[in-house]
């Protein structure tokens, strides 16, 4: 089974797609979540309303979210093509989910949109737990905004950030519903990840042995993430 897997070009393509999907997905989710958490940590009018609105992607059912994005990506009447053409950024509609160059990244945009609220809420809770006395003492000592952020904020939220990174890495790596509903791994396996590959082998080709071998490789890849997180936690406990 393993010899067959590593000789299969589609399996190799699935591994590359999975790594690209996971790395970009985690980085982009955190890139959206961290600034929003910092912004929502500041007191302003209507803050509770915006917090609730930003949680909508997270609580929306995966099927509803996937089909909503499929509609927005539609080449004939999708809102993305409509806006881009109105802004004269494109001359003709783009078939986002039907082009092998854009399919994976189009589904990834939906993944980031649906996934960022979780790390945002986790980081916001960590930010609100930081004692304000630390910032006041730092200001008295002459620390600037950048120094306060780097010396106080980042160390205080580092444990929550590490935990968020592990969670969203696992969830992004194991994503299935949105990829299957939006592209089914196509076109020409352009958006096929390991989860889609295992599903095809197990429930379309009915080769459960090969699918189990693929799943074990997925487990081994995720074990690397768990290992580094456990090592990070042990170092934190020693300190």
């Amino acid at each position: 089974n393993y010899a067959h897997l590593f000789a299969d070009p589609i399996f190799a393509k699935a591994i590359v797609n999975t790594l690209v999907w996971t790395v970009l997905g985690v980085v982009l989710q955190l890139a959206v979540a961290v600034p929003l958490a910092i912004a929502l940590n500041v007191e302003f009018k209507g803050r509770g309303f915006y917090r609730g609105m930003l949680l909508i992607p997270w609580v929306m059912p995966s099927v509803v979210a996937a089909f909503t994005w499929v509609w927005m990506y539609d080449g004939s009447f999708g809102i993305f093509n409509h806006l881009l053409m109105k802004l004269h950024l494109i001359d003709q509609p783009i078939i986002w989910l039907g082009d092998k160059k854009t399919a994976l990244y189009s589904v990834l945009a939906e993944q980031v949109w649906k996934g960022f609220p979780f790390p945002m809420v986790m980081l916001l809770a960590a930010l609100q737990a930081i004692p304000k006395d630390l910032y006041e003492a730092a200001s008295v000592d002459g620390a600037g905004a950048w120094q306060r952020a780097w010396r106080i904020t980042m160390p205080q939220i580092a444990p929550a950030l590490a935990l968020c990174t592990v969670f969203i890495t696992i969830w992004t790596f194991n994503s299935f519903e949105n990829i299957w509903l939006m592209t089914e791994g196509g076109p020409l396996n352009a958006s096929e990840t390991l989860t889609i590959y295992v599903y095809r082998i197990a429930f379309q080709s009915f080769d459960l042995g090969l699918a189990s071998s693929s799943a074990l490789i997925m487990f081994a890849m995720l074990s690397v993430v768990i290992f580094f997180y456990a090592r990070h936690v042990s170092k934190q406990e020693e300190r």
Side-chain angles (χ1 to χ4, degrees):
N1 283 333
Y2 292 108
H4 178 80
L5 282 176
F6 288 108
D8 186 356
I10 298 178
F11 180 73
K13 177 69 173 176
I15 289 179
V16 173
N17 286 343
T18 300
L19 293 175
V20 172
W21 168 271
T22 304
V23 172
L24 285 180
V26 172
V27 170
L28 292 174
Q29 286 180 65
L30 291 177
V32 174
V34 172
L36 286 176
I38 294 173
L40 292 175
N41 193 43
V42 179
E43 293 186 7
F44 60 90
K45 187 176 181 180
R47 182 173 63 170
F49 171 78
Y50 290 110
R51 286 179 180 176
M53 292 297 292
L54 288 171
L55 284 175
I56 289 177
W58 178 254
V59 300
M60 183 178 292
S62 298
V63 175
V64 175
F67 281 125
T68 300
W69 278 73
V70 168
W71 173 79
M72 292 192 295
Y73 279 132
D74 189 271
S76 300
F77 51 83
I79 191 171
F80 289 141
N81 281 325
H82 176 75
L83 291 176
L84 291 174
M85 292 181 71
K86 284 289 185 181
L87 295 172
H88 303 289
L89 296 176
I90 58 175
D91 297 326
Q92 57 185 3
I94 299 174
I95 305 178
W96 300 96
L97 300 176
D99 189 335
K100 62 181 182 180
K101 295 181 180 179
T102 59
L104 180 66
Y105 303 103
S106 298
V107 182
L108 182 62
E110 188 273 347
Q111 175 73 19
V112 173
W113 172 81
K114 186 157 182 16
F116 82 86
F118 173 78
M120 180 192 72
V121 171
M122 292 280 288
L123 295 173
L124 179 58
L127 286 168
Q128 292 183 335
I130 301 175
K132 294 183 179 180
D133 296 343
L134 295 176
Y135 293 105
E136 294 174 358
S139 298
V140 171
D141 290 338
W146 174 254
Q147 290 175 315
R148 292 196 299 269
W150 186 251
R151 297 292 183 179
I152 298 176
T153 305
M154 291 307 299
Q156 291 290 323
I157 68 171
L161 185 61
L163 186 60
C164 286
T165 302
V166 171
F167 280 156
I168 62 178
T169 298
I170 294 172
W171 292 335
T172 304
F173 185 91
N174 289 323
S175 296
F176 173 80
E177 298 96 335
N178 52 349
I179 303 174
W180 182 256
L181 292 171
M182 295 177 73
T183 65
E184 295 187 8
L188 299 176
N189 308 110
S191 60
E192 180 144 343
T193 60
L194 286 172
T195 54
I196 302 296
Y197 184 86
V198 170
Y199 178 83
R200 288 185 187 279
I201 297 299
F203 299 106
Q204 291 185 345
S205 300
F206 299 103
D207 190 337
L208 298 182
L210 194 61
S212 298
S213 300
S214 305
L216 282 174
I217 292 174
M218 291 179 63
F219 173 75
M221 295 173 69
L222 280 177
S223 297
V224 175
V225 178
I226 302 299
F227 170 77
F228 281 108
Y229 177 69
R231 187 177 179 183
H232 170 76
V233 171
S234 64
K235 286 184 178 181
Q236 291 292 329
E237 291 178 351
E238 288 177 1
R239 291 177 184 176

